[in-house]
Amino acid sequence: MPKTIPADVWLSLRHEWLWVYCGQVPRCEVWSAEIPVPPGVFFVERGEVRIRADGAEIVVPRGQAFFSAPGLRQHWFAKSTRLLSVGFRSQWPDGSPLFRSGLNFAAKSPKLRLATIALFRAVHRGRRTMAYRESVTAKALSLAGWATHEAAFAVWFIVFIKTLYQLGVQPESRAPASRRRVDQLVAWLNSRPLDQSVPTLPPGFALGMRRADQILQQHLGVSLRVFLERRRLNAARERIVSEHGTLKEIAFTLGFRHASHFTAWFRRHTGVSPSAYRAGGLEAA
């Protein structure tokens, strides 16, 4: 049975939809770089997709959907593959996703596919196809247009949730009261500029730096410094793939004075240069 919890807990979710598109993939028969992805679902309208995630390789044939967990993964597309896809973010205040465990699997879901087609038509009126790049490009909207898009996504999200329930996937539980300090700490760290590598504590925080570091280790398994470093690395991954600025500009926004320092840092963490990562990520998207 679906869990019921107080409304104020649901209101603490940070929730946004990112895209809906339907189109042919740009590059086929080559494995992509390992790129960060949000939660979502895509349907293979034509062709075949292979996914590497969580140490496994999943084959998604035509007619099936892939339910994606947030994280890093690689793609491989058969020739002429065409996808129908929705991406979104839903996170608790501590940064943990609403849905995580039990995802990264393929299954048939005709009802959710029809709901996804309806969402695409509501958002991209008059269009039959649209590539990922165009779907995430910011467009000017009226207030009524924005509200229409948000309402259409809410309707789709209800079907998505019910589909996951039927497939045995439940949302992650909200953190108990004992984790409120962790939520406060993580929210503060996530609000810091990306070029900040030295941890600080929220104003009036009841714990000292050493104890704060300990509770973050207990709940998330990382220190304050490692949390900030991973956050900056995730931001680098996303910006390299999704933004059109130069790598030098991205390096400066992340706090690197020299592009060469950024390249060495990124290669140390990922095994590839930013330029190689961008090429693989853009082709995968």
Side-chain angles (χ1 to χ4, degrees):
M1 292 293 291
K3 299 176 181 178
T4 58
I5 59 178
D8 63 332
V9 175
W10 293 122
L11 288 172
S12 70
L13 273 172
R14 297 196 301 268
H15 187 68
E16 61 176 334
W17 73 281
L18 303 174
W19 70 71
V20 54
Y21 75 87
C22 180
Q24 187 165 322
V25 299
R27 191 185 189 209
C28 301
E29 299 181 329
V30 175
W31 280 101
S32 74
E34 192 176 45
I35 60 174
V37 294
V41 63
F42 66 76
F43 295 84
V44 181
E45 302 287 274
R46 184 174 64 217
E48 180 183 276
V49 179
R50 299 175 191 173
I51 300 291
R52 288 175 179 168
D54 297 335
E57 184 171 314
I58 305 102
V59 177
V60 192
R62 179 179 180 178
Q64 290 198 8
F66 182 76
F67 293 82
S68 175
L72 299 174
R73 76 176 187 218
Q74 292 179 272
H75 304 83
W76 181 95
F77 302 121
K79 189 175 181 179
S80 300
T81 294
R82 177 187 172 101
L83 302 181
L84 171 65
S85 173
V86 178
F88 62 91
R89 285 195 184 97
S90 285
Q91 295 179 321
W92 296 113
D94 67 351
S96 60
L98 174 61
F99 288 99
R100 167 58 188 172
S101 58
L103 294 177
N104 284 344
F105 68 90
K108 289 186 176 181
S109 184
K111 187 173 182 179
L112 182 59
R113 179 178 177 274
L114 291 176
T116 306
I117 292 172
L119 174 61
F120 178 87
R121 290 173 177 171
V123 172
H124 307 299
R125 293 186 178 278
R127 298 289 297 270
R128 298 187 64 181
T129 64
M130 178 172 288
Y132 165 79
R133 278 281 158 197
E134 188 179 358
S135 73
V136 297
T137 301
K139 300 178 180 66
L141 290 171
S142 66
L143 178 59
W146 171 82
T148 298
H149 288 186
E150 294 298 309
F153 177 72
V155 171
W156 176 88
F157 194 60
I158 292 170
V159 181
F160 176 77
I161 292 170
K162 290 181 176 179
T163 301
L164 289 185
Y165 282 149
Q166 292 170 358
L167 294 170
V169 180
Q170 293 279 339
E172 300 293 315
S173 298
R174 176 66 172 90
S178 62
R179 286 191 58 177
R180 288 178 183 169
R181 283 180 176 168
V182 177
D183 290 351
Q184 182 187 1
L185 182 58
V186 169
W188 169 258
L189 294 173
N190 280 329
S191 72
R192 299 300 82 208
L194 286 168
D195 61 359
Q196 180 175 325
S197 59
V198 178
T200 60
L201 298 179
F205 196 63
L207 303 176
M209 187 69 71
R210 183 176 179 182
R211 180 56 183 151
D213 203 66
Q214 288 175 342
I215 65 169
L216 201 68
Q217 287 273 13
Q218 291 170 1
H219 288 277
L220 301 184
V222 295
S223 66
L224 294 167
R225 285 183 179 275
V226 171
F227 183 95
L228 288 174
E229 187 76 344
R230 287 187 180 178
R231 173 173 168 261
R232 184 162 67 156
L233 179 61
N234 289 336
R237 290 179 187 271
E238 292 183 3
R239 292 185 179 189
I240 288 169
V241 173
S242 64
E243 295 184 3
H244 300 292
T246 66
L247 295 175
K248 185 176 182 179
E249 290 170 340
I250 293 174
F252 287 162
T253 64
L254 295 174
F256 293 90
R257 293 185 178 182
H258 302 285
S260 59
H261 294 171
F262 172 61
T263 296
W265 171 82
F266 191 82
R267 189 191 296 273
R268 185 170 69 252
H269 285 286
T270 66
V272 296
S273 68
S275 57
Y277 190 85
R278 168 170 276 183
L282 289 174
E283 288 160 349

